[in-house]
Amino acid sequence: MRNKFSEELVKIANKNKSVHIVVADISPAGSMEKFQKKFKNRFINVGVSEQAMIGIAAGLSLQKKIVFAYTIANFSLYRPFEMIRNDLCYQKLPVTIVGMGSGTIYANLGGTHLTQEDVSVARSIPNMQILIPCDPDELSECIKYCAKNKKGPIYLKIGKSGEKNFTRNSEKWAFGKIRKIKSGYKTAIISCGPIIRYAFGAINNSSKDSVSIYSAHTLKPFDYNGLKKIFNKYKTIIVLEDHSYIGGLGSIIKESAYELKFKGKIHHLALKDDFLKEYSSQENLLKKHGITEKKIRKLIYK
Amino acid sequence: MISKLKKAKKRCINYRKRLLEISQKVQALHVGGSFSSVEAMDVVYNVLKKKNDKVILSKGHCGIIQYIILEDHKIISKKLLNSYCQPNGKLGVHPEVFTRGIEASTGSLGHGLAIAAGMAIANRKNKIFVVLSDGELMEGSVWETVLIISSLNLNNIIIVIDNNDLQSATRATNTHPSLYPIKEKFINFGWDSEYCDGHNSFDIYKKISKKKKNKPFALISKTIKGYPISFMKDVPMWHYRSPNKTEYKQSLKELEKYEK
């Protein structure tokens, strides 16, 4: 996803001279190299200074520039939290904060590098919008929106590398709308972010016609109308997210179920409220939190 | 320029009088830190600032003095300023970007300088003035940005540090003696830096005018909190307190005397 991000941003920056990116110690040899080489004056590497990254992004935005602030998710959202709240959200500046390698992706780096509560934190700040694309193609759509956005800040939660595309033949992406990725008649899996691959992995020949998969890529503002339609159509809903069970997609859906008088069952696969340690792989860490394809498969047949 | 400077004393007294007037209608406001920064704010706004230059008050708790100057410049109305901290009023203690003439919302210390750096990148032809408090230099975010500003050659940034040595209750000399000397710290971070008498408008102007063109500049403005009111000067209590009626009258008298 980080390569897709950089490719897409170069395209946009080619057309629009106002596009700037502020990064905190991202290796120029990595995915951002092309942008840096092409638009030297619009690439600002502040080094290991995340508070300054957000403050500078705010200053550029106050001068009407289109600004992206980009680094690994924990550094982009947690370290400069007050700058995000005061400089961006309070002043309602349309800066996109990109959290790369979000959720449990950096499992082998340990808990300091995970963002298992980022959505919960970002969601509660007024004026913040949140986008969580599930694959590189969806990310392209999100970036286009971010570059045009004038409403206020966006937290763009993305993956890292090697993500497959799932949405090529799906309905069109639209900001703020839950998107059906795959149709089925019985059970709906609602997810966001690259963990959607678990939903696809869980489907086999016998369940492929019965399961729908939705990408709730816009967490804020949330598509309550779209959710209502899903509630009316399915009796079983499985929510799948790479985030704490507190304050993320599952929270939104369960809160809405009460409001919208949903009578069916909701199964919620999310991270436990705990700093579990598993350094071998993201898959093994998610397993410790109880998230596996096998478990989703079982829930489909319940 | 000189004529503007000659009138600085009169302006600064009027600004202080206006602040005292407002203080009688609100429960508390930051008199001490506002009074210590009046001359610097005056020189920046009334002598140095050109049309497209920007001013950011990073020590946002003294926003009242910025509002008073904006009122003097007819950028905000008297009516608006009179609504300061009043029911349904549009002005609070800290400057808000939604108010005409205010470039950035501040209030939490350690934010203004990075915002200024972003503006300076986007706007290299104009000067960005930032007024900071000395206590603000205890914020790590300030030093992140100090390092970046000189590294990126943002030489259009001029900061004034209101060095009254007092935070809300404590004295930096006592709690953070290593904050001093300040000038050398900036020079070692690649800036040009100088001290000045922060209550002498000519000195403030002179030091900023002589700044090196190829470096960002930090002016350490030696000031006295609550200046020039005898019972407020250097007294921590006046960080956040409104004078009562007797104190108000006494202050006005002292300002009259100070003018002569």
Side-chain angles (χ1 to χ4, degrees):
Chain A
M1 271 183 165
R2 59 183 175 191
N3 287 340
K4 187 71 174 185
F5 174 83
S6 130
E7 273 169 35
E8 208 56 57
L9 199 67
V10 168
K11 272 190 222 163
I12 295 170
N14 251 332
K15 287 185 207 150
N16 191 332
K17 284 191 177 144
S18 174
V19 175
H20 284 64
I21 183 161
V22 191
V23 306
D25 196 38
I26 288 295
S27 160
S31 54
M32 294 309 298
E33 190 186 11
K34 202 170 169 192
F35 190 103
Q36 189 191 19
K37 278 192 174 159
K38 263 191 125 164
F39 315 108
K40 211 179 151 204
N41 294 328
R42 295 193 266 150
F43 179 90
I44 299 131
N45 182 2
V46 296
V48 192
S49 313
E50 295 82 6
Q51 301 179 79
M53 173 180 79
I54 299 298
I56 287 173
L60 285 162
S61 180
L62 282 163
Q63 295 295 294
K64 309 289 175 218
K65 303 296 180 192
I66 296 167
V67 193
F68 290 79
Y70 177 99
T71 187
I72 299 174
N74 56 317
F75 302 125
S76 72
L77 189 73
Y78 295 162
R79 183 59 172 259
F81 176 75
E82 198 195 47
M83 282 68 190
I84 289 176
R85 182 185 178 274
N86 292 8
D87 301 353
L88 302 185
C89 294
Y90 189 58
Q91 301 192 98
K92 219 176 174 184
L93 298 178
V95 170
T96 303
I97 307 142
V98 187
M100 189 271 288
S102 62
T104 53
I105 289 173
Y106 277 110
N108 51 11
L109 297 184
T112 57
H113 282 59
L114 306 184
T115 55
Q116 61 199 62
E117 61 292 83
D118 55 351
V119 171
S120 183
V121 168
R123 241 185 97 207
S124 54
I125 321 173
N127 292 336
M128 183 68 104
Q129 306 164 76
I130 303 174
L131 288 172
I132 313 177
C134 71
D135 69 359
D137 280 356
E138 218 170 55
L139 172 62
S140 301
E141 299 296 333
C142 290
I143 297 168
K144 283 176 206 157
Y145 171 82
C146 294
K148 282 184 200 155
N149 158 56
K150 291 195 168 65
K151 280 188 212 157
I154 298 171
Y155 176 53
L156 176 60
K157 174 173 177 164
I158 70 171
K160 193 179 133 211
S161 54
E163 292 88 355
K164 278 189 208 156
N165 275 312
F166 295 103
T167 59
R168 218 142 252 187
N169 302 312
S170 309
E171 59 184 37
K172 227 178 145 200
W173 186 91
F175 174 79
K177 297 278 177 224
I178 296 181
R179 184 182 187 202
K180 192 194 267 182
I181 309 299
K182 181 206 161 298
S183 269
Y185 60 86
K186 197 178 155 210
T187 301
I189 302 179
I190 310 176
S191 186
C192 57
I195 200 171
I196 207 165
R197 70 180 182 275
Y198 274 52
F200 282 92
I203 298 172
N204 52 24
N205 272 339
S206 59
S207 61
K208 69 173 191 239
D209 294 333
S210 65
V211 178
S212 287
I213 298 175
Y214 290 88
S215 167
H217 48 76
T218 309
L219 260 279
K220 195 183 176 186
F222 197 76
D223 181 11
Y224 292 100
N225 281 334
L227 183 62
K228 197 175 175 181
K229 284 177 195 158
I230 295 172
F231 279 163
N232 289 337
K233 196 170 171 191
Y234 305 91
K235 282 191 181 138
T236 306
I237 287 165
I238 301 168
V239 186
L240 168 66
E241 61 182 325
D242 185 12
H243 185 274
S244 160
Y245 76 88
I246 301 169
L249 177 63
S251 286
I252 298 174
I253 290 176
K254 286 190 277 188
E255 284 161 18
S256 311
Y258 175 78
E259 299 282 336
L260 300 169
K261 298 185 173 60
F262 177 60
K263 296 279 187 309
K265 259 191 182 165
I266 297 174
H267 304 285
H268 186 193
L269 278 86
L271 305 177
K272 294 173 183 168
D273 181 25
D274 200 354
F275 292 117
L276 296 181
K277 293 182 176 67
E278 176 54 59
Y279 308 111
S280 60
S281 70
Q282 186 191 14
E283 272 61 36
N284 287 337
L285 177 59
L286 288 172
K287 197 174 172 184
K288 282 194 172 170
H289 281 281
I291 303 172
T292 61
E293 289 177 1
K294 201 174 153 191
K295 188 160 174 197
I296 300 169
R297 212 170 291 135
K298 267 191 191 166
L299 291 170
I300 291 171
Y301 288 111
K302 244 187 180 176
Chain B
M1 215 61 86
I2 297 294
S3 69
K4 278 185 192 166
L5 276 169
K6 276 184 179 161
K7 288 177 190 154
K9 192 173 179 185
K10 178 81 186 152
R11 277 195 308 270
C12 290
I13 286 169
N14 287 339
Y15 292 157
R16 287 185 171 97
K17 280 184 184 167
R18 179 73 170 121
L19 190 147
L20 288 169
E21 186 191 347
I22 294 164
S23 79
Q24 296 307 289
K25 290 184 228 153
V26 294
Q27 288 183 328
L29 89 177
H30 296 80
V31 183
S34 295
F35 275 16
S36 68
S37 58
V38 172
E39 279 77 14
M41 290 289 283
D42 171 70
V43 170
V44 167
Y45 267 103
N46 291 312
V47 187
L48 293 166
K49 185 184 178 300
K50 297 205 172 82
K51 198 185 160 202
N52 291 321
D53 292 347
K54 309 276 176 200
V55 182
I56 292 176
L57 182 62
S58 196
K59 51 172 291 189
H61 52 285
C62 300
I64 184 69
I65 204 72
Q66 196 172 17
Y67 290 146
I68 289 170
I69 294 175
L70 292 176
E71 178 195 46
D72 184 35
H73 286 214
K74 299 194 167 37
I75 292 168
I76 65 170
S77 68
K78 191 174 177 182
K79 194 180 158 197
L80 182 66
L81 185 51
N82 284 340
S83 78
Y84 178 85
C85 292
Q86 298 301 318
N88 301 316
K90 296 262 190 289
L91 301 181
V93 168
H94 299 100
E96 308 262 13
V97 75
F98 315 103
T99 305
R100 213 172 147 227
I102 300 294
E103 304 286 353
S105 297
T106 54
S108 178
L109 296 174
H111 287 242
L113 192 56
I115 293 176
M119 286 180 168
I121 293 168
N123 198 0
R124 286 188 186 254
K125 283 179 192 155
N126 298 296
K127 291 197 173 70
I128 320 285
F129 295 96
V130 192
V131 178
L132 295 96
S133 78
D134 50 2
E136 190 169 2
L137 300 183
M138 296 172 193
E139 294 281 5
S141 58
V142 170
W143 295 100
E144 277 188 14
T145 317
V146 165
L147 182 60
I148 291 163
I149 286 172
S150 53
S151 301
L152 294 178
N153 292 313
L154 301 176
N155 307 325
N156 48 340
I157 288 190
I158 293 168
I159 71 172
V160 180
I161 297 157
D162 185 5
N163 189 198
N164 58 31
D165 196 46
L166 277 176
Q167 286 78 62
S168 60
T170 53
R171 202 172 288 282
T173 316
N174 297 333
T175 62
H176 292 66
S178 305
L179 178 64
Y180 299 104
I182 300 174
K183 179 180 160 180
E184 283 75 2
K185 288 185 178 63
F186 276 90
I187 287 173
N188 287 332
F189 270 80
W191 289 52
D192 181 18
S193 182
E194 202 42 84
Y195 292 104
C196 77
D197 172 354
H199 297 301
N200 180 332
S201 306
F202 283 89
D203 198 30
I204 296 168
Y205 173 75
K206 195 175 82 187
K207 297 288 166 54
I208 295 179
S209 308
K210 284 185 178 168
K211 104 176 240 308
K212 286 182 184 147
K213 291 233 159 25
N214 60 351
K215 287 190 176 195
F217 183 65
L219 182 67
I220 301 135
S221 179
K222 291 281 180 194
T223 57
I224 299 164
K225 210 160 172 170
Y227 183 88
I229 310 300
S230 61
F231 57 90
M232 290 184 188
K233 277 201 301 193
D234 210 28
V235 178
M237 178 178 79
W238 290 97
H239 175 75
Y240 188 66
R241 184 175 186 268
S242 277
N244 61 30
K245 215 166 183 184
T246 322
E247 290 161 342
Y248 172 63
K249 282 182 184 163
Q250 165 82 13
S251 306
L252 285 183
K253 248 188 225 167
E254 288 194 22
L255 283 177
E256 302 286 343
K257 220 169 126 190
Y258 174 71
E259 196 173 349
K260 289 163 195 165

